[in-house]
PDB file of all heavy atoms in Angstrom:
ATOM      1  N   MET H 209      71.818 -53.126 -62.552  1.00  0.00           N
ATOM      2  CA  MET H 209      71.435 -54.504 -62.764  1.00  0.00           C
ATOM      3  C   MET H 209      72.185 -55.371 -61.744  1.00  0.00           C
ATOM      4  O   MET H 209      73.351 -55.183 -61.521  1.00  0.00           O
ATOM      5  CB  MET H 209      71.765 -54.922 -64.184  1.00  0.00           C
ATOM      6  CG  MET H 209      71.359 -56.337 -64.448  1.00  0.00           C
ATOM      7  SD  MET H 209      71.287 -56.803 -66.188  1.00  0.00           S
ATOM      8  CE  MET H 209      70.150 -55.637 -66.853  1.00  0.00           C
ATOM      9  N   PRO H 218      73.743 -80.102 -52.461  1.00  0.00           N
ATOM     10  CA  PRO H 218      73.572 -81.540 -52.538  1.00  0.00           C
ATOM     11  C   PRO H 218      72.328 -82.020 -51.796  1.00  0.00           C
ATOM     12  O   PRO H 218      71.891 -81.382 -50.832  1.00  0.00           O
ATOM     13  CB  PRO H 218      74.812 -82.116 -51.885  1.00  0.00           C
ATOM     14  CG  PRO H 218      75.704 -80.972 -51.570  1.00  0.00           C
ATOM     15  CD  PRO H 218      74.949 -79.705 -51.806  1.00  0.00           C
ATOM     16  N   GLY H 222      70.823 -87.997 -49.799  1.00  0.00           N
ATOM     17  CA  GLY H 222      71.850 -88.771 -50.493  1.00  0.00           C
ATOM     18  C   GLY H 222      71.316 -89.507 -51.702  1.00  0.00           C
ATOM     19  O   GLY H 222      71.890 -90.526 -52.116  1.00  0.00           O
ATOM     20  N   VAL H 228      68.901 -76.526 -56.847  1.00  0.00           N
ATOM     21  CA  VAL H 228      69.537 -75.322 -57.390  1.00  0.00           C
ATOM     22  C   VAL H 228      68.710 -74.122 -57.000  1.00  0.00           C
ATOM     23  O   VAL H 228      67.478 -74.155 -57.082  1.00  0.00           O
ATOM     24  CB  VAL H 228      69.689 -75.404 -58.930  1.00  0.00           C
ATOM     25  CG1 VAL H 228      70.286 -74.157 -59.489  1.00  0.00           C
ATOM     26  CG2 VAL H 228      70.505 -76.614 -59.332  1.00  0.00           C
ATOM     27  N   GLN H 237      79.903 -54.289 -49.253  1.00  0.00           N
ATOM     28  CA  GLN H 237      79.074 -53.792 -48.147  1.00  0.00           C
ATOM     29  C   GLN H 237      79.197 -52.292 -48.088  1.00  0.00           C
ATOM     30  O   GLN H 237      80.290 -51.735 -48.156  1.00  0.00           O
ATOM     31  CB  GLN H 237      79.541 -54.420 -46.828  1.00  0.00           C
ATOM     32  CG  GLN H 237      78.649 -54.109 -45.668  1.00  0.00           C
ATOM     33  CD  GLN H 237      79.091 -54.852 -44.422  1.00  0.00           C
ATOM     34  OE1 GLN H 237      80.267 -54.861 -44.070  1.00  0.00           O
ATOM     35  NE2 GLN H 237      78.125 -55.469 -43.748  1.00  0.00           N
ATOM     36  N   THR H 240      78.441 -47.331 -42.944  1.00  0.00           N
ATOM     37  CA  THR H 240      77.514 -46.365 -42.323  1.00  0.00           C
ATOM     38  C   THR H 240      77.768 -44.970 -42.894  1.00  0.00           C
ATOM     39  O   THR H 240      76.827 -44.231 -43.167  1.00  0.00           O
ATOM     40  CB  THR H 240      77.704 -46.353 -40.783  1.00  0.00           C
ATOM     41  OG1 THR H 240      77.481 -47.684 -40.302  1.00  0.00           O
ATOM     42  CG2 THR H 240      76.722 -45.400 -40.122  1.00  0.00           C
ATOM     43  N   GLU H 245      75.826 -40.414 -46.057  1.00  0.00           N
ATOM     44  CA  GLU H 245      75.991 -39.481 -47.186  1.00  0.00           C
ATOM     45  C   GLU H 245      74.872 -39.593 -48.190  1.00  0.00           C
ATOM     46  O   GLU H 245      74.343 -38.598 -48.679  1.00  0.00           O
ATOM     47  CB  GLU H 245      77.349 -39.735 -47.867  1.00  0.00           C
ATOM     48  CG  GLU H 245      78.538 -39.303 -47.039  1.00  0.00           C
ATOM     49  CD  GLU H 245      79.874 -39.776 -47.615  1.00  0.00           C
ATOM     50  OE1 GLU H 245      79.875 -40.492 -48.652  1.00  0.00           O
ATOM     51  OE2 GLU H 245      80.921 -39.432 -47.010  1.00  0.00           O
ATOM     52  N   LEU H 249      72.102 -36.773 -49.186  1.00  0.00           N
ATOM     53  CA  LEU H 249      71.912 -36.329 -50.570  1.00  0.00           C
ATOM     54  C   LEU H 249      70.456 -36.445 -51.006  1.00  0.00           C
ATOM     55  O   LEU H 249      69.933 -35.585 -51.686  1.00  0.00           O
ATOM     56  CB  LEU H 249      72.818 -37.110 -51.519  1.00  0.00           C
ATOM     57  CG  LEU H 249      74.292 -36.722 -51.521  1.00  0.00           C
ATOM     58  CD1 LEU H 249      75.097 -37.713 -52.355  1.00  0.00           C
ATOM     59  CD2 LEU H 249      74.465 -35.312 -52.069  1.00  0.00           C
ATOM     60  N   VAL H 259      71.964 -36.895 -39.628  1.00  0.00           N
ATOM     61  CA  VAL H 259      71.575 -38.238 -40.102  1.00  0.00           C
ATOM     62  C   VAL H 259      72.323 -39.297 -39.308  1.00  0.00           C
ATOM     63  O   VAL H 259      71.746 -40.288 -38.844  1.00  0.00           O
ATOM     64  CB  VAL H 259      71.853 -38.387 -41.608  1.00  0.00           C
ATOM     65  CG1 VAL H 259      71.578 -39.808 -42.092  1.00  0.00           C
ATOM     66  CG2 VAL H 259      71.002 -37.387 -42.424  1.00  0.00           C
ATOM     67  N   ASP H 268      70.330 -47.257 -30.496  1.00  0.00           N
ATOM     68  CA  ASP H 268      70.196 -47.249 -29.045  1.00  0.00           C
ATOM     69  C   ASP H 268      68.752 -47.483 -28.605  1.00  0.00           C
ATOM     70  O   ASP H 268      68.510 -48.238 -27.636  1.00  0.00           O
ATOM     71  CB  ASP H 268      70.662 -45.906 -28.469  1.00  0.00           C
ATOM     72  CG  ASP H 268      72.163 -45.717 -28.546  1.00  0.00           C
ATOM     73  OD1 ASP H 268      72.890 -46.738 -28.712  1.00  0.00           O
ATOM     74  OD2 ASP H 268      72.628 -44.574 -28.399  1.00  0.00           O
ATOM     75  N   VAL H 271      67.784 -51.132 -28.950  1.00  0.00           N
ATOM     76  CA  VAL H 271      68.293 -51.905 -27.824  1.00  0.00           C
ATOM     77  C   VAL H 271      67.385 -51.702 -26.614  1.00  0.00           C
ATOM     78  O   VAL H 271      67.030 -52.679 -25.921  1.00  0.00           O
ATOM     79  CB  VAL H 271      69.740 -51.501 -27.490  1.00  0.00           C
ATOM     80  CG1 VAL H 271      70.179 -52.102 -26.140  1.00  0.00           C
ATOM     81  CG2 VAL H 271      70.685 -51.944 -28.582  1.00  0.00           C
ATOM     82  N   TYR H 273      64.088 -50.949 -26.422  1.00  0.00           N
ATOM     83  CA  TYR H 273      62.810 -51.634 -26.574  1.00  0.00           C
ATOM     84  C   TYR H 273      62.967 -53.139 -26.654  1.00  0.00           C
ATOM     85  O   TYR H 273      62.225 -53.876 -25.989  1.00  0.00           O
ATOM     86  CB  TYR H 273      62.053 -51.130 -27.815  1.00  0.00           C
ATOM     87  CG  TYR H 273      61.280 -49.852 -27.553  1.00  0.00           C
ATOM     88  CD1 TYR H 273      61.538 -48.713 -28.311  1.00  0.00           C
ATOM     89  CD2 TYR H 273      60.293 -49.783 -26.578  1.00  0.00           C
ATOM     90  CE1 TYR H 273      60.836 -47.555 -28.100  1.00  0.00           C
ATOM     91  CE2 TYR H 273      59.593 -48.626 -26.357  1.00  0.00           C
ATOM     92  CZ  TYR H 273      59.863 -47.516 -27.115  1.00  0.00           C
ATOM     93  OH  TYR H 273      59.160 -46.344 -26.882  1.00  0.00           O
ATOM     94  N   SER H 275      65.313 -55.004 -25.473  1.00  0.00           N
ATOM     95  CA  SER H 275      65.752 -55.537 -24.183  1.00  0.00           C
ATOM     96  C   SER H 275      64.624 -55.602 -23.165  1.00  0.00           C
ATOM     97  O   SER H 275      64.730 -56.306 -22.169  1.00  0.00           O
ATOM     98  CB  SER H 275      66.910 -54.710 -23.616  1.00  0.00           C
ATOM     99  OG  SER H 275      66.456 -53.425 -23.223  1.00  0.00           O
ATOM    100  N   GLY H 284      57.568 -49.579 -43.615  1.00  0.00           N
ATOM    101  CA  GLY H 284      58.292 -49.494 -44.869  1.00  0.00           C
ATOM    102  C   GLY H 284      59.668 -50.132 -44.827  1.00  0.00           C
ATOM    103  O   GLY H 284      60.356 -50.200 -45.835  1.00  0.00           O
ATOM    104  N   SER H 289      62.636 -58.462 -33.734  1.00  0.00           N
ATOM    105  CA  SER H 289      62.378 -59.151 -32.466  1.00  0.00           C
ATOM    106  C   SER H 289      63.624 -59.892 -32.050  1.00  0.00           C
ATOM    107  O   SER H 289      64.533 -60.136 -32.857  1.00  0.00           O
ATOM    108  CB  SER H 289      61.182 -60.093 -32.607  1.00  0.00           C
ATOM    109  OG  SER H 289      61.470 -61.124 -33.526  1.00  0.00           O
ATOM    110  N   ASP H 297      75.018 -76.162 -21.550  1.00  0.00           N
ATOM    111  CA  ASP H 297      75.159 -77.392 -22.358  1.00  0.00           C
ATOM    112  C   ASP H 297      74.165 -78.473 -21.931  1.00  0.00           C
ATOM    113  O   ASP H 297      74.345 -79.636 -22.265  1.00  0.00           O
ATOM    114  CB  ASP H 297      76.578 -77.920 -22.255  1.00  0.00           C
ATOM    115  CG  ASP H 297      77.572 -76.988 -22.892  1.00  0.00           C
ATOM    116  OD1 ASP H 297      77.191 -76.287 -23.867  1.00  0.00           O
ATOM    117  OD2 ASP H 297      78.728 -76.933 -22.437  1.00  0.00           O
ATOM    118  N   GLU H 306      56.743 -83.886 -15.937  1.00  0.00           N
ATOM    119  CA  GLU H 306      57.029 -83.126 -14.745  1.00  0.00           C
ATOM    120  C   GLU H 306      58.275 -82.267 -14.898  1.00  0.00           C
ATOM    121  O   GLU H 306      58.548 -81.398 -14.072  1.00  0.00           O
ATOM    122  CB  GLU H 306      57.210 -84.085 -13.554  1.00  0.00           C
ATOM    123  CG  GLU H 306      55.959 -84.917 -13.266  1.00  0.00           C
ATOM    124  CD  GLU H 306      54.746 -84.062 -12.957  1.00  0.00           C
ATOM    125  OE1 GLU H 306      54.879 -83.083 -12.192  1.00  0.00           O
ATOM    126  OE2 GLU H 306      53.667 -84.361 -13.491  1.00  0.00           O
ATOM    127  N   ARG H 312      67.480 -72.872 -16.090  1.00  0.00           N
ATOM    128  CA  ARG H 312      68.187 -72.811 -17.356  1.00  0.00           C
ATOM    129  C   ARG H 312      68.608 -71.370 -17.595  1.00  0.00           C
ATOM    130  O   ARG H 312      67.867 -70.425 -17.361  1.00  0.00           O
ATOM    131  CB  ARG H 312      67.269 -73.256 -18.521  1.00  0.00           C
ATOM    132  CG  ARG H 312      66.831 -74.683 -18.483  1.00  0.00           C
ATOM    133  CD  ARG H 312      67.972 -75.672 -18.617  1.00  0.00           C
ATOM    134  NE  ARG H 312      68.776 -75.528 -19.793  1.00  0.00           N
ATOM    135  CZ  ARG H 312      68.600 -76.219 -20.907  1.00  0.00           C
ATOM    136  NH1 ARG H 312      67.618 -77.083 -21.010  1.00  0.00           N
ATOM    137  NH2 ARG H 312      69.401 -76.035 -21.927  1.00  0.00           N
ATOM    138  N   ASP H 324      59.504 -55.543 -44.341  1.00  0.00           N
ATOM    139  CA  ASP H 324      58.158 -55.026 -44.584  1.00  0.00           C
ATOM    140  C   ASP H 324      57.761 -55.361 -46.022  1.00  0.00           C
ATOM    141  O   ASP H 324      58.584 -55.298 -46.934  1.00  0.00           O
ATOM    142  CB  ASP H 324      58.165 -53.497 -44.376  1.00  0.00           C
ATOM    143  CG  ASP H 324      56.756 -52.919 -44.376  1.00  0.00           C
ATOM    144  OD1 ASP H 324      56.178 -52.805 -45.490  1.00  0.00           O
ATOM    145  OD2 ASP H 324      56.261 -52.571 -43.317  1.00  0.00           O
ATOM    146  N   ALA H 330      58.818 -52.692 -53.375  1.00  0.00           N
ATOM    147  CA  ALA H 330      59.625 -51.653 -54.012  1.00  0.00           C
ATOM    148  C   ALA H 330      60.879 -52.254 -54.659  1.00  0.00           C
ATOM    149  O   ALA H 330      61.256 -51.854 -55.759  1.00  0.00           O
ATOM    150  CB  ALA H 330      60.021 -50.587 -52.979  1.00  0.00           C
ATOM    151  N   LEU H 331      61.508 -53.221 -53.996  1.00  0.00           N
ATOM    152  CA  LEU H 331      62.682 -53.875 -54.557  1.00  0.00           C
ATOM    153  C   LEU H 331      62.344 -54.640 -55.828  1.00  0.00           C
ATOM    154  O   LEU H 331      63.072 -54.606 -56.808  1.00  0.00           O
ATOM    155  CB  LEU H 331      63.321 -54.820 -53.545  1.00  0.00           C
ATOM    156  CG  LEU H 331      64.220 -54.169 -52.499  1.00  0.00           C
ATOM    157  CD1 LEU H 331      64.612 -55.173 -51.435  1.00  0.00           C
ATOM    158  CD2 LEU H 331      65.456 -53.586 -53.145  1.00  0.00           C
TER     159      LEU H 331
END
Side-chain angles (χ1 to χ4, degrees):
M209 182 164 302
V228 178
Q237 188 175 48
T240 303
E245 289 170 357
L249 283 172
V259 174
D268 288 343
V271 169
Y273 278 121
S275 69
S289 63
D297 294 329
E306 300 301 316
R312 295 297 302 266
D324 189 285
L331 279 171

